[in-house]
Amino acid sequence: MHISELTHPNQLKGLSIRELEEVSRQIREKHLQTVATSGGHLGPGLGVVELTVALYSTLDLDKDRVIWDVGHQAYPHKMLTGRYHDFHTLRQKEGVAGYLKRSESKFDHFGAGHASTSISAGLGMALARDAKGEDFKVVSIIGDGALTGGMALEAINHAGHLPHTRLMVVLNDNEMSISPNVGAISRYLNKVRLSSPMQFLTDNLEEQIKHLPFLGDSLTPEMERVKEGMKRLVVPKVGAVIEELGFKYFGPIDGHNLQELIDTFKQAEKVPGPVFVHVSTTKGKGYDLAEKDQVGYHAQSPFNLSTGKAYPSSKPKPPSYSKVFAHTLTTLAKDNPKIMGITAAMATGTGLDKLQAKLPKQYVDVGIAEQHAVTLAAGMACEGMRPVVAIYSTFLQRGYDQIIHDVCIQKLPVFFCLDRAGIVGADGPTHQGMYDIAYLRCIPNLAIMAPKDEAELQQMLVTGVNYTDGAIAMRYPRGNGIGVPLMEEGWEPLEIGKAELLRSGDDVLLLGYGSMVYPALQTAELLHEHGIEATVVNARFVKPLDTEMILPLAQRIGKVVTMEEGCLMGGFGSAVAEALMDNNVLVPLKRLGVPDILVDHATPEQSTVGLGLTPAQMAADIMASLFKVESPVAPRVS
């Protein structure tokens, strides 16, 4: 059977091992071809092909629930659940999403782009099932990287307390998240991998005891205790912790042996309470280059499948903001041993792997544990260190209470560096960095800034490291810089709360924040072509806002436009509106940014057009709304 003939995952039932192996080969081939052509996550999905095929061959997917943690490991799931023919549209506008999406398929039972959620969601479904008197299986699949997240451990703690709640947790253990895992849990799992499987031990032991003379089919309480005692002799290295937490443990299982997987899943599905199946897989399985470089091939831009190398760019690009951040921080840290770079399992994504390589004693990876990262930084700050917490905007949301409670209430000098702020592209709604301006701006004892380009990012890094009056945050976008010259020395901190005047004009005031400053300048040029002269200000800080500059300009010019790459509700434009109203500067105000919608997966350019945030669209919008002049410009696209 060819996978293209599968219209429903239940068609896997009854196929021979040889046929399932052929389906697995075809999935892996399609996976590789698609990611090589259009980009996407590579290693995670390749590692769970057999796991997915084996599991789905034992379930009834018309009623059973499978919850995938994160979702970038669920590409094989997508191909088996009716999206094989559309899989070539992966992560493209209006195509197949890169993560699970409930609105995309009835088989996507729970959407997630952030790690460590699957056990909580699965337990919730299992409890709802029992409350309604229904009967279906619930399987939560989680990677060992995601198991470092506190939420996963909280869910395990809860599930183990419910001995009669049927829930299967499948640990996809490949020794990796994006980078190699850290911490005691990872060390423990390494020990488990080296142990012999014991998934059927206790059942076989019970059968052997039952055959002893005079005992019959049931075990006396005394013999039950003997059984448990015997079990303890062999479990210490193979799941003792999991067993003590209330789960029945199976494993470790070879995650690429279909027969062993199927036999284990069938056995585990009979357990009347929580069960934990430990599956050992190889990230990038089936593509030699991805197996050897599991960090580099976690996700890829389009690349040559035969060589594994990315297609060269048609022209040289400026360095990415992440690279400039990493280079500058490492340079500063060389001269300041108090600087500590902190990441939550995103060393390569944030660029902190450079700091780790050069100054390992000034680098900390906490695993997928953003809450812990924030409070860890607070503790360091208490002792006079200069913690720099580098976390994607979308992931820092997970440490929100800690920012307020542990950092800002205590007015501790923690420096938050928010990578991937604004539009992120193909990762879609779970990863868009739209909300940090709004969710941080309302917190006391926190200054917030955003650079207009990579050179200003360098200045803001110096500013943040030197700021001691409380916490400070800097947001910067995904992708390459503007192309301005970088500084190698002589960096000076910026004055807190001071904006920069870039252009003068008498007709309209354009206030750009962060990545929207250069588009504001381009918009001013387009307005100039229509006889409208604009003043352009680089706000630099949304908090404190430079009211000393902005208010007189707004009063004199009489028309104000704010531009931001973030949500409008509570964002930069809202800060300006509040300042104008609080000071009785009642002038027309146009706010340009992201409205109250979720921005779906597409290229950043497509998203920008869809949001009406290109310079041409913004110029047309300004002319129509503030000057009642129509301009033949491409309209906003939904």
Side-chain angles (χ1 to χ4, degrees), residues 25 65 87 94 118 122 171 194 268 374 377 412 421 453 464 481 483 542 621:
R25 184 194 66 77
R65 314 286 197 263
F87 196 67
E94 299 180 355
S118 63
L171 175 62
L194 300 176
V374 174
L412 292 171
D453 55 37
V542 68
D621 203 347

Side-chain angles (χ1 to χ4, degrees), residues 69-88:
D69 206 89
V70 185
H72 56 44
Q73 60 182 334
Y75 289 4
H77 156 84
K78 287 179 178 268
M79 284 186 248
L80 289 170
T81 53
R83 284 162 281 187
Y84 176 85
H85 293 288
D86 294 325
F87 196 67
H88 65 281

Side-chain angles (χ1 to χ4, degrees), residues 230-506:
M230 292 290 290
K231 181 179 174 181
R232 292 288 179 266
L233 295 176
V234 293
V235 169
K237 291 187 178 180
V238 279
V241 170
I242 299 299
E243 293 264 339
E244 290 294 339
L245 287 172
F247 284 74
K248 184 176 174 78
Y249 176 87
F250 291 78
I253 310 301
D254 181 352
H256 305 292
N257 184 319
L258 280 165
Q259 187 65 67
E260 186 176 354
L261 285 164
I262 290 170
D263 290 345
T264 304
F265 287 139
K266 285 181 177 180
Q267 186 78 5
E269 287 164 12
K270 298 175 183 177
V271 175
V275 58
F276 193 97
V277 180
H278 183 177
V279 180
S280 180
T281 63
T282 300
K283 189 173 182 179
K285 179 70 173 178
Y287 186 52
D288 188 57
L289 293 170
E291 290 187 39
K292 291 178 179 177
D293 183 5
Q294 296 182 342
V295 175
Y297 286 87
H298 171 80
Q300 276 285 346
S301 301
F303 67 99
N304 185 311
L305 197 52
S306 60
T307 65
K309 294 182 179 179
Y311 293 113
S313 175
S314 57
K315 58 181 180 180
K317 293 181 179 179
S320 70
Y321 281 96
S322 298
K323 286 184 178 179
V324 175
F325 165 79
H327 169 72
T328 307
L329 182 65
T330 302
T331 302
L332 293 172
K334 285 179 183 176
D335 298 323
N336 186 350
K338 291 186 176 181
I339 291 176
M340 297 291 293
I342 300 171
T343 181
M346 297 294 289
T348 54
T350 60
L352 283 186
D353 56 332
K354 307 297 187 298
L355 180 67
Q356 179 187 23
K358 295 284 182 64
L359 301 166
K361 292 183 179 179
Q362 291 174 254
Y363 164 86
V364 179
D365 183 352
V366 302
I368 302 178
E370 291 83 5
Q371 294 172 302
H372 169 54
V374 174
T375 304
L376 177 83
M380 288 182 174
C382 285
E383 298 300 318
M385 303 301 284
R386 307 299 301 128
V388 179
V389 183
I391 297 179
Y392 289 5
S393 168
T394 182
F395 296 140
L396 189 58
Q397 295 162 186
R398 313 185 85 186
Y400 190 65
D401 179 64
Q402 286 68 32
I403 297 171
I404 298 173
H405 184 273
D406 300 332
V407 175
C408 292
I409 286 178
Q410 304 187 93
K411 206 175 181 180
L412 292 171
V414 174
F415 186 12
F416 297 102
C417 295
L418 283 67
D419 200 337
R420 288 1 183 226
I423 298 168
V424 298
D427 283 334
T430 57
H431 283 58
Q432 304 285 8
M434 298 300 180
Y435 311 111
D436 56 88
I437 303 172
Y439 73 65
L440 292 177
R441 193 171 68 82
C442 60
I443 305 175
N445 297 328
L446 178 63
I448 310 167
M449 55 189 175
K452 70 178 185 295
D453 55 37
E454 58 269 43
E456 195 164 71
L457 179 144
Q458 292 182 299
Q459 285 184 284
M460 287 187 176
L461 259 174
V462 177
T463 305
V465 166
N466 284 279
Y467 186 72
T468 57
D469 289 341
I472 189 166
M474 173 180 66
R475 77 181 322 244
Y476 47 100
R478 179 177 188 169
N480 302 100
I482 303 299
V484 300
L486 295 175
M487 298 177 290
E488 291 300 326
E489 57 185 11
W491 297 308
E492 293 293 331
L494 298 170
E495 185 177 353
I496 299 296
K498 290 301 177 182
E500 178 186 30
L501 181 65
L502 299 176
R503 176 184 175 131
S504 296
D506 295 328

Side-chain angles (χ1 to χ4, degrees), residues 85-320:
H85 293 288
D86 294 325
F87 196 67
H88 65 281
T89 67
L90 181 72
R91 293 162 54 91
Q92 299 173 32
K93 183 177 173 61
E94 299 180 355
V96 174
Y99 295 89
L100 297 195
K101 193 173 182 181
R102 281 171 56 85
S103 61
E104 184 176 281
S105 170
K106 69 176 183 178
F107 298 109
D108 289 5
H109 297 294
F110 197 80
H114 294 184
S116 312
T117 63
S118 63
I119 305 176
S120 295
L123 182 58
M125 292 178 187
L127 290 173
R129 171 201 64 203
D130 295 348
K132 294 190 294 182
E134 296 178 345
D135 182 24
F136 55 82
K137 300 181 181 74
V138 179
V139 182
S140 295
I141 302 171
I142 188 167
D144 55 320
L147 203 62
T148 64
M151 185 175 178
L153 302 179
E154 291 169 16
I156 287 174
N157 178 63
H158 185 197
H161 183 64
L162 303 170
H164 304 299
T165 301
R166 289 168 47 233
L167 170 70
M168 184 194 300
V169 174
V170 177
L171 175 62
N172 168 32
D173 181 5
N174 59 21
E175 306 179 60
M176 301 284 290
S177 51
I178 294 176
S179 300
N181 290 320
V182 298
I185 292 174
S186 176
R187 186 169 63 247
Y188 176 76
L189 291 176
N190 282 333
K191 291 181 180 179
V192 173
R193 288 184 207 101
L194 300 176
S195 305
S196 301
M198 55 80 64
Q199 62 267 27
F200 305 121
L201 173 72
T202 54
D203 295 318
N204 291 339
L205 179 63
E206 182 169 335
E207 288 302 313
Q208 293 298 319
I209 293 174
K210 284 180 180 179
H211 284 91
L212 292 175
F214 312 112
L215 285 181
D217 292 334
S218 62
L219 295 181
T220 65
E222 291 77 13
M223 291 309 298
E224 186 72 41
R225 285 194 292 272
V226 170
K227 182 191 118 175
E228 289 303 311
M230 292 290 290
K231 181 179 174 181
R232 292 288 179 266
L233 295 176
V234 293
V235 169
K237 291 187 178 180
V238 279
V241 170
I242 299 299
E243 293 264 339
E244 290 294 339
L245 287 172
F247 284 74
K248 184 176 174 78
Y249 176 87
F250 291 78
I253 310 301
D254 181 352
H256 305 292
N257 184 319
L258 280 165
Q259 187 65 67
E260 186 176 354
L261 285 164
I262 290 170
D263 290 345
T264 304
F265 287 139
K266 285 181 177 180
Q267 186 78 5
E269 287 164 12
K270 298 175 183 177
V271 175
V275 58
F276 193 97
V277 180
H278 183 177
V279 180
S280 180
T281 63
T282 300
K283 189 173 182 179
K285 179 70 173 178
Y287 186 52
D288 188 57
L289 293 170
E291 290 187 39
K292 291 178 179 177
D293 183 5
Q294 296 182 342
V295 175
Y297 286 87
H298 171 80
Q300 276 285 346
S301 301
F303 67 99
N304 185 311
L305 197 52
S306 60
T307 65
K309 294 182 179 179
Y311 293 113
S313 175
S314 57
K315 58 181 180 180
K317 293 181 179 179
S320 70

Side-chain angles (χ1 to χ4, degrees), residues 577-586:
E578 292 162 11
L580 293 173
M581 287 189 294
D582 290 346
N583 290 276
N584 284 320
V585 180
L586 305 180

